[in-house]
Structures are given as structure tokens and as C-alpha cells.
Amino acid sequence: MQQKTLSVLVRSLFPLLALPAIPALAQQSAPAEPPAGGDTAVQQVVVSGIRASVRSALSVKENSNSMVEVVASEDIGKLPDTTIAESLARLPGLAAGLDRGNASQIVARGMGERFIGATLNGRELASSEPNRAVRFEQFPSESLSGAIVYKTQNADLVEGGVATTIDLQTVQPLKYNGRQASLKADALYYPLAKDVDAQTVRPRLGGIWIDQFANRSVGAAVAFSYQKQPSIEERKNHWGFNEDHSADLNGDGKVDKTPWGFEDELKSGTNERSSVLGKLEWKASPDALITADLYFARNKIREPSVQHWTGDVGNWDGWQTGNYSNVDIRNGYVTGATVKDVSLTTHSTRWIQNMDNFAGGLNGKFNVGDWKVEADVATSRASRASQWADVRNTTANNGTLSWAFTGNEQQSYSYSQDTGNLATFGAPSLYIDNDGHVHDRLDSAQLSGALPLDLGPVSRIKIGARFADREKSYRQTTWNISPNNAAIPASAYTTINVPGYFPALMLNDFEGTVSSTFGPGALDAGGRTPTANDLLAGWRVKERTSALYAQADLDGEMFGLKYRGNAGVRVLHTSQTGEGMESVNGAAPTAMSGGASYTKALPSMNLIFGLDEEQKHQVRFSLARAMSRAPMDEMRASRQISMDTTPGSQQPLTGSAGNPGLLPMMANQADLAYQWYFDKGSLFSAALFYKQIGSYIGITTDTTTIGNRQAVITRSINGEGGHVRGLELVYQHAFTRLPAPFDGLGVAANWSYNESDIHEYTNDYPMEGLMRNNGGVTLWYEKNGFEARLSANYHSPFVRMPRWTAGYMAENGEETYVTANFSYYLTPQLQLRVGLDNITNQKVVYTQNANAYMQNVMEYGRRYNVGLSYKF
């Protein structure tokens, strides 16, 4: 009786009513011993529950020859979160940039997505983004058994991640005992959807099946997931200020910088994600294991929205001064005013973004005498088709606009005319800007061999080779239609009223209305001629890489301390070609290309010193040279050139361009860490890292030579670099020694500090991705079939590139993201789950041009889910 009372008290630490206890439902399996040589694959043992996954993850971390962070499955098909991106964002030194309110691209050790390598089962992944960044939210928990985050380099790792390489791993069916299966069904609830007249509840389904056949010589696994998430948003954006052609508004003799304008948006759509994984293992003999696997994910985003734009307040050279009143000027910027005779446009828009990602391969592992030989062939494909369509109406008569955009998320405005009345606006026009397509193909082949040795401190040598061929391209088409007799009836619209926003007119049936108003093929790019700007925006980049590596595993004694680790070198050669179009003085675009080739040597060494016989106290040291390749879209050959054609003129050419000659960013780096594994599932760690980065890539005005003539071109270049350094602290503890029921408690906390002297060439921003502080705390409890987890993660402001345009940068404000998850086994097979996401309703705020008054404020709202899981 006393124990049950204490259990209720412990559960009250989490905002959930106590549930009656039932007997423990699953035995925790001890983590398997790591394979020879310290390879750090997540071990495919059957774990169950939070505590077991923590122990499994720490076992891999403790026995790894590299400095790693680990995400391990809590049960079959059950990672800690809905997608791997959310789990990665809570690891020490890592965070995530949000897309549509979801964790997506990873930031690590103060460095953005350009420094993050991503692999699936050790194979590099193609990407649906124009650069190289992988969207980690495309990998649901059902498809993965875990992830390894390599913070230090190994010679046998695929090159590309100066900050980290993240290896996502799928299940190995022959590692499981007997048939296992799990099914999940969830209802997702988004309260903010009520504001924008969207459906508030959507489904999520998932499952995994694993079995073995032919006397356990054949193993099979199939996993699937489906989620239709509301994609909703409330947003207000400041377009920036007229910095050099404004006028004095208050008579103090100083020029007052006026806004170019503003926009708001109410978005009401869906983000539909689905995936399937298939894997087959064949133990052909005691000396041969053949594995075939494939993974396919599809993401279909459809987002109707309504926006308002107003750009008639820039006061160019003072022409509107007489229309201004009630002016609020702060630090020379007009942050609020009333302006008469202002037009406004309403935009009923539709954005679609369909992404497909495929990865598959064939792997063979063989014992050939004393050699362990591994051969692997793989292919990865990614594509992205997107289109932004806009039915646009401008006010028939001008009105009066009042606003106050004073920073710190303070954004308010009003307009004298009724924006919820169609009669306020004139005839509609259709704009498609743009219909774009990305395609990425990546093929690779690898061969390696490992041989045990007894040669002094060398316990094993591993040699290998890899070849990769990649091609990525982009094309687009834009058009607009403005028939003289176009008209849309008021009945085609719904008026949306959200506090703080203009009343908004949204089309009920966007495609149907566009077809009836502008023609059946109005949204179809087929048969349309790309404009000159479309041709100049298109590009193709080809990249071929071959690599050789040799690595020795070490095991010995130094300074009276036992040590282990590895040392090796990876040598690679890459040839790249960028293609595109060139236009001189507005002439018709013509094809052009360029390229580069380079050879790099990447040495690395990792040493782990055991400070006691059990090696619970460890000092880890690493030295390496690493590289991250240039973004593929910046390697395009496209350029627009202006030139003075006056005979004899020596004026330099000017323009903008890609740079197919971009070389990778290189880094010399060192890591030092102390780790204390003081109990089961418990760790204290303190780590320092230092990276000296050269050839840093940024966009600037570059002086170069084109056709024997001097040119001043805005493009990406390999410029000066600098250092990135930081401190990481980690504390994890499972309180198993406390009296029941407190022995079910656990905590995981981490904090990191990052510093760099690298600045972007745009607005002298700090280096993209640099979070000076980030960290989080997770409290968890597991006892008698009940599990609860409460997490809070924080990061300080950091610079990011939130759009396709590489030159567009903004500061992402500080954020604290709070989530909670609860589950309870109703029976030994049936589990009830409840999730609360973004509990504090954290908004995403971009500040542009380092100007505190220029903010883009986005709200995605709180999110909840209730679901059931059933294990077979």
C-alpha cells in the first residue's frame, strides 16, 4: 500500500493522472558486446522501455572508438519521437532548425547544415533540397532502429561532415529472436487549425514486422508509416527599410528610414508523409551474410493560404511625406505611422511541394580466411516538385494604413477598407512563381577488408575503397495570366477572421476556381516556354569521387594507462562540373559550364585512455582533418553579366553568378573529453573541441577575370576561415538505487557553448548555424508499465538560410521547445500513448539584416496526439 502511494507521488511530477500499476511487462536485454575493432553500429538487441534504450545507447557510446552520441530504440519500431529529427535535436551539442513547426535540418556544434554529413546504413544520401542538406523529418521511428552521431572522424567514414556525420540505421532482422510486430495508430490534434478554418484532427499510422525463416538463415523486415499532419501557420513579415532614398518626416533635419512594406499570411494546409522500408538478410553460410534493403519516403505538402501585401509606404525621395502622420521613429527607423492613399493586395495562394526520397542497396559480408571482407553497392534518388500559385487582387480604391512594427514580436496594423469584402478589390490575376523541379541521383560502390593482427599496438587493419557518382539539377517555369474579363464570385471565397490580422478572403476550391476563371491548363507548366530568368535559374552539377583509406585499430598501454583507438588516413579525388546559362546585357541566354578537381588527404586518430581497471573513467582524445563539400546549387555555372559596350571602355563587368570552381571547406580539428560511466545508464561527460576551418564558403562581391576583362561579380567564393570551438557538458542518471518507486526516475541534461571568429560575408553575420548556447533537460519515469518523459530544449539566437536563395540570411531567435510524452500498458500487448508538443506555444522569429525592427514572426501552435500501440 505504501509503495502504491509513493508511486502516485512520483507520477505527479508529470501532468498526468496516476494509472493503476500492472506487473512489469518486458525484460530489459543487456546490450550486446561491440564487434571486434570497436565498430559503432547500434546493436540490434531487443530493448524495451526508456531505461533499456538509455543503457543500450550508453553502452555503444562507452565502447566506441570514436566520440559519438547515440539514439537507440526503446522497443521494436519505437524511437523516443515521431521522427529521428526530434530525437537528434535533443542530443548534446545538437539542435534543429524548424520547418512548418517540425524539427528538420540539424545544427551541430555551432555549425549549420552545410557541415552535417548524413548516411543511411553507412551510405551517403541524395537530397531533395537544392544544396546537400538532408531533411531528417522524412525518417519516421518505425523505419529506424537508431542513429549514431560521429563527432570525431574515422578514416572509414564517408567524408563530408566537419561538424558531424549522422548515420541512420535500420533494423537487422536476424538479430531478433523470433517473429515480432508492432502497429500504431494516432490521432493528431492541432488547436490553431480552428483559427484558419482547417481540420484540427488528422491521422498517423505505422507498423513494423520482423521474422526469420529457413532455420533462421533468412530474416525479413517490413515497416511503414503514414501521417497527414495539418500544415498551419499565422505569420507577419516586415520587408525591410528604404535605407538610402528616404526623407525627413519629423522636421529634425535627419533622414527617417521608412519601410518598404509588410505581408501577413494565414496558412491552412496538410503535410502528408508516408514511408516504407523493406530489408532482407540471408546467412548463406557461416562465412557469408547478404543484405538487401530499400527505403522510400514521400512527402506531399499542399498549403492554401491567404496573404496581404502592402508596399506603398517606402516614401522614395520623400514623395509620400505629406501622407504620413502619427510617426513613431526609433533609432532613425520609422517603426509605426499612419499613411493615407495606400493600396493593398490580397493573395489567395496555393503552395504544393512533393518530395520523393529513395535509398537502396546490396551488401555482402564474407570471411575469407582471416580477412573480413565487405562489398556494398547502393543508389539514392531524391526529387522535389513545387509550385506557388497566386490569385491576386488589388484594392480598387486606396485607403489608409496604420501600423506599429516595433520589434520584440510587436506587430500590429489596421486598414481603413474592409479586406474581407470582395467588392473592395479589383479584377484578379494569376501568377505562377514558380513551378520548380529538383532531381538528385547518387550511386556508390564500396569494398573493404579487415584483418586481425598482433603487431605491437595494432590489433586490426582495415583498408577500403569507395566510388561515387552524383548528379543534381534544377529547372523552373514561371508565368502569369491576366484576362480582361476575369471575375470570381464572392461565393467562391470564405472570409477568415483571426485576431490581429486583416479579414482574409480564401478560395474554397483553389484549383477549381483557377480552372474556371483562367482556363483548364492555367496551372500546368506543360508546353510553356521558360522565360530568360527561368533559363538562368536552371542548373546541373555533376560530381565524381573516388576514395581509398587505411585504418589501424589500436590497443596498448601508454603512460601506465591502457588505451585503445584507431588511426588512419582517407585520400580522395573529386572531379566536378557545373552547367548553366549565361546572359550578357539581357541577351538571350547561352549554355556554359565550368568545373574543378581536387585531391585531399584526411588523416585521423582517436585514442581512449582508461583511468581505472573497469574503464568507467575515460579520457578521449582525437585529431583529424575533415572536409565539407560546397553546396551543389552554388556550384552552378549560371551567370548574368552587364558590361559597358562603349568602344574602348575599360569599365569592369558586373553581375551575379554561381561558382563551379568552389572547393570544399577544410578543417583541422582536435577533441578532448572526460567521460565517467558511474552507474548503469548513467554518465557524466565534459568535452572540449577546436576546429580551424579554411576555405570558408560565403557570398560576396568578388573581383575576378572573365574573357580577359576585369569583372566584379556577386557569387560564392572560398574565402578566409577561422576557428570554431566549444565546450559540452552531459549528465545522465537513472536513479535505480533509490527505493521503489523512485527507482523509476531518470534525468538527461546537456549544455554546450560554441564560439567562432568566422563571419558571413552577408551583413557581417556570425557564422551560419552558430548557437552560442544550447542544451536541454529530460526527466523520465518508468515503472510498472507506465512511462513518462518531459523535455525542454533551448538554443540561443543563430543565423540560418531559411529560403532556397543562398544569399538570404536571417537570425533565428532564441527558442525553448517543451514536449511531454506519456504511455501506459493497458495489457502486456496494448499500450496507450499521449503526447504534448510545443507546450509553451513557442513562435519562430527571424530577424533580418541585423535590424531588430525587421522581423518575420511565425506561429505554428501547440500540438497533441493520442494513440494506441499493439505488439504481436
Side-chain angles (χ1 to χ4, degrees):
M1 190 68 173
Q2 182 181 10
Q3 181 173 335
K4 185 176 290 187
T5 303
L6 288 173
S7 181
V8 171
L9 288 174
V10 172
R11 292 175 186 176
S12 69
L13 293 171
F14 302 92
L16 188 71
L17 294 176
L19 296 172
I22 63 173
L25 298 167
Q27 296 295 321
Q28 299 165 2
S29 300
E33 291 297 318
D39 288 346
T40 52
V42 172
Q43 300 305 305
Q44 302 295 328
V45 295
V46 181
V47 297
S48 181
I50 301 173
R51 181 185 298 142
S53 72
V54 169
R55 289 185 180 180
S56 180
L58 285 188
S59 176
V60 175
K61 182 181 177 77
E62 180 180 2
N63 290 288
S64 169
N65 279 347
S66 304
M67 296 184 198
V68 301
E69 305 295 343
V70 182
V71 177
S73 174
E74 295 179 0
D75 203 345
I76 176 176
K78 184 187 176 186
L79 289 175
D81 301 280
T82 301
T83 71
I84 193 65
E86 296 164 339
S87 299
L88 293 171
R90 284 203 293 270
L91 293 177
L94 275 66
L98 300 184
D99 180 78
R100 293 169 172 84
N102 302 306
S104 178
Q105 295 177 358
I106 297 300
V107 175
R109 293 187 149 188
M111 289 171 277
E113 66 270 11
R114 292 184 296 171
F115 292 102
I116 307 298
T119 58
L120 180 65
N121 295 323
R123 301 163 177 156
E124 190 177 6
L125 287 164
S127 166
S128 56
E129 297 298 290
N131 45 33
R132 298 178 189 268
V134 170
R135 300 173 67 102
F136 287 95
E137 78 271 28
Q138 68 176 299
F139 295 97
S141 61
E142 290 83 6
S143 299
L144 300 178
S145 62
I148 295 282
V149 177
Y150 291 89
K151 290 183 171 178
T152 58
Q153 299 294 313
N154 287 347
D156 59 353
L157 277 179
V158 176
E159 68 280 352
V162 166
T164 185
T165 295
I166 300 173
D167 185 36
L168 310 177
Q169 300 180 338
T170 57
V171 296
Q172 295 175 253
L174 287 179
K175 295 286 186 178
Y176 287 79
N177 294 317
R179 179 183 301 164
Q180 298 191 38
S182 174
L183 290 175
K184 298 178 181 178
D186 288 72
L188 310 174
Y189 174 61
Y190 286 60
L192 190 68
K194 294 179 180 178
D195 283 0
V196 294
D197 198 33
Q199 189 171 331
T200 58
V201 179
R202 293 287 186 174
R204 183 178 189 275
L205 304 171
I208 184 171
W209 168 83
I210 295 173
D211 208 346
Q212 301 83 34
F213 310 93
N215 197 28
R216 292 188 54 81
S217 65
V218 176
V222 176
F224 77 95
S225 72
Y226 173 80
Q227 175 174 318
K228 194 168 186 179
Q229 170 186 316
S231 185
I232 52 178
E233 180 183 359
E234 297 177 2
R235 179 176 69 91
K236 294 178 184 176
N237 183 31
H238 194 300
W239 287 351
F241 288 92
N242 179 359
E243 296 276 353
D244 52 13
H245 277 270
S246 297
D248 180 11
L249 289 176
N250 60 2
D252 63 357
K254 298 178 182 179
V255 173
D256 303 311
K257 300 172 183 179
T258 45
W260 290 122
F262 320 101
E263 71 182 75
D264 66 11
E265 181 175 25
L266 300 172
K267 186 181 294 181
S268 170
T270 56
N271 187 348
E272 189 174 7
R273 300 199 298 260
S274 57
S275 70
V276 62
L277 167 74
K279 193 164 187 176
L280 190 66
E281 291 184 320
W282 176 33
K283 187 71 172 176
S285 74
D287 295 316
L289 174 65
I290 310 297
T291 303
D293 60 272
L294 62 86
Y295 176 78
F296 178 77
R298 172 164 289 173
N299 192 346
K300 298 174 65 177
I301 298 172
R302 184 183 183 277
E303 293 172 334
S305 76
V306 59
Q307 303 179 18
H308 297 102
W309 301 359
T310 177
D312 285 352
V313 291
N315 198 27
W316 184 268
D317 288 342
W319 76 276
Q320 286 178 298
T321 299
N323 291 343
Y324 268 80
S325 61
N326 303 319
V327 179
D328 182 0
I329 301 172
R330 305 187 184 193
N331 299 316
Y333 290 96
V334 179
T335 61
T338 298
V339 185
K340 63 182 181 180
D341 198 20
V342 173
S343 67
L344 180 142
T345 55
T346 183
H347 305 252
S348 192
T349 74
R350 190 269 286 127
W351 169 259
I352 55 172
Q353 178 176 300
N354 297 328
M355 295 175 287
D356 288 345
N357 291 269
F358 171 81
L362 184 64
N363 180 277
K365 296 179 180 178
F366 311 95
N367 295 325
V368 183
D370 290 334
W371 284 88
K372 292 186 181 295
V373 177
E374 181 174 355
D376 188 276
V377 291
T379 186
S380 182
R381 300 286 191 273
S383 65
R384 175 171 177 166
S386 59
Q387 185 189 85
W388 189 74
D390 173 11
V391 175
R392 185 178 308 178
N393 304 65
T394 303
T395 49
N397 299 293
N398 291 342
T400 298
L401 177 73
S402 296
W403 81 88
F405 278 51
T406 57
N408 295 321
E409 302 179 31
Q410 302 302 312
Q411 300 172 304
S412 63
Y413 51 64
S414 63
Y415 191 63
S416 61
Q417 298 193 49
D418 183 5
T419 56
N421 184 354
L422 187 60
T424 301
F425 301 95
S429 298
L430 174 67
Y431 289 79
I432 309 296
D433 184 24
N434 53 58
D435 186 281
H437 299 267
V438 172
H439 294 281
D440 194 5
R441 173 190 57 81
L442 174 58
D443 299 321
S444 65
Q446 300 186 69
L447 180 66
S448 67
L451 177 68
L453 286 178
D454 186 9
L455 185 62
V458 178
S459 60
R460 187 181 75 150
I461 60 167
K462 184 177 182 181
I463 57 175
R466 177 179 182 265
F467 174 79
D469 183 24
R470 188 170 191 174
E471 181 177 307
K472 193 161 196 167
S473 63
Y474 173 72
R475 61 180 173 83
Q476 70 176 40
T477 310
T478 60
W479 67 94
N480 60 75
I481 304 172
S482 301
N484 292 330
N485 59 349
I488 299 175
S491 59
Y493 291 93
T494 294
T495 301
I496 298 176
N497 291 284
V498 175
Y501 288 78
F502 294 142
L505 293 169
M506 180 179 288
L507 286 171
N508 300 315
D509 177 7
F510 187 91
E511 284 82 2
T513 301
V514 167
S515 178
S516 62
T517 306
F518 301 100
L523 297 173
D524 187 0
R528 299 188 186 276
T529 302
T531 65
N533 285 336
D534 291 336
L535 295 174
L536 290 168
W539 51 268
R540 183 186 306 273
V541 172
K542 301 176 182 178
E543 185 178 79
R544 285 194 171 188
T545 297
S546 54
L548 297 173
Y549 69 86
Q551 180 172 290
D553 287 349
L554 307 175
D555 193 353
E557 187 170 322
M558 186 186 302
F559 311 123
L561 300 174
K562 292 183 178 180
Y563 74 88
R564 58 184 168 86
N566 58 50
V569 63
R570 188 179 187 93
V571 179
L572 60 98
H573 177 77
T574 297
S575 296
Q576 64 192 39
T577 302
E579 301 174 358
M581 305 288 278
E582 178 187 63
S583 175
V584 178
N585 283 351
T590 56
M592 67 174 304
S593 65
S597 64
Y598 53 88
T599 300
K600 302 291 183 182
L602 307 176
S604 61
M605 179 184 69
N606 295 278
L607 294 176
I608 301 100
F609 293 89
L611 303 183
D612 60 332
E613 191 65 29
E614 295 80 16
Q615 295 205 19
K616 298 302 180 184
H617 296 266
Q618 299 179 359
V619 171
R620 294 177 175 246
F621 176 66
S622 175
L623 290 174
R625 182 162 173 80
M627 60 170 277
S628 288
R629 290 189 171 89
M632 299 196 79
D633 53 338
E634 290 303 290
M635 293 160 60
R636 68 191 187 277
S638 312
R639 64 188 185 194
Q640 290 179 275
I641 303 296
S642 297
M643 60 184 293
D644 186 350
T645 57
T646 304
S649 173
Q650 295 300 310
Q651 293 296 316
L653 309 179
T654 59
S656 61
N659 188 351
L662 283 174
L663 298 177
M665 295 178 283
M666 306 299 298
N668 296 322
Q669 51 195 47
D671 290 77
L672 179 65
Y674 166 72
Q675 296 176 354
W676 176 25
Y677 297 88
F678 58 89
D679 204 350
K680 290 183 178 180
S682 301
L683 166 71
F684 170 77
S685 173
L688 297 169
F689 70 88
Y690 182 90
K691 300 176 187 289
Q692 185 66 37
I693 298 175
S695 303
Y696 188 75
I697 293 174
I699 296 178
T700 188
T701 300
D702 178 37
T703 300
T704 185
T705 300
I706 298 177
N708 297 320
R709 189 165 178 176
Q710 187 181 22
V712 180
I713 305 297
T714 300
R715 63 175 184 170
S716 286
I717 66 167
N718 290 105
E720 294 184 1
H723 70 259
V724 182
R725 59 193 179 192
L727 165 68
E728 296 174 351
L729 299 176
V730 179
Y731 173 74
Q732 290 182 221
H733 189 32
F735 297 98
T736 55
R737 299 182 187 276
L738 292 176
F742 296 102
D743 56 345
L745 280 170
V747 62
N750 66 82
W751 174 80
S752 66
Y753 174 79
N754 307 295
E755 186 271 332
S756 176
D757 62 353
I758 300 175
H759 284 73
E760 300 293 339
Y761 310 135
T762 302
N763 294 325
D764 197 35
Y765 274 127
M767 183 181 67
E768 188 249 340
L770 183 67
M771 297 175 177
R772 291 195 175 273
N773 294 278
N774 77 286
V777 177
T778 297
L779 301 174
W780 55 266
Y781 180 76
E782 178 186 6
K783 193 75 174 178
N784 297 334
F786 175 81
E787 296 179 7
R789 181 191 291 109
L790 177 64
S791 297
N793 286 81
Y794 166 84
H795 68 75
S796 58
F798 72 104
V799 172
R800 65 182 300 188
M801 299 179 186
R803 299 180 182 174
W804 275 33
T805 307
Y808 178 86
M809 292 185 177
E811 182 186 77
N812 194 131
E814 66 176 359
E815 295 170 342
T816 301
Y817 208 68
V818 181
T819 62
N821 295 279
F822 312 96
S823 64
Y824 182 70
Y825 276 99
L826 303 174
T827 74
Q829 290 78 37
L830 184 63
Q831 185 184 45
L832 172 67
R833 294 175 289 103
V834 177
L836 297 84
D837 197 17
N838 195 17
I839 295 173
T840 60
N841 194 26
Q842 173 68 60
K843 297 179 181 179
V844 177
V845 181
Y846 297 157
T847 300
Q848 303 153 73
N849 294 344
N851 187 324
Y853 307 120
M854 285 178 56
Q855 290 190 327
N856 188 9
V857 180
M858 293 152 279
E859 181 178 355
Y860 300 101
R862 298 176 177 88
R863 301 180 289 185
Y864 310 105
N865 72 278
V866 177
L868 293 171
S869 297
Y870 190 82
K871 293 197 303 181
F872 296 88

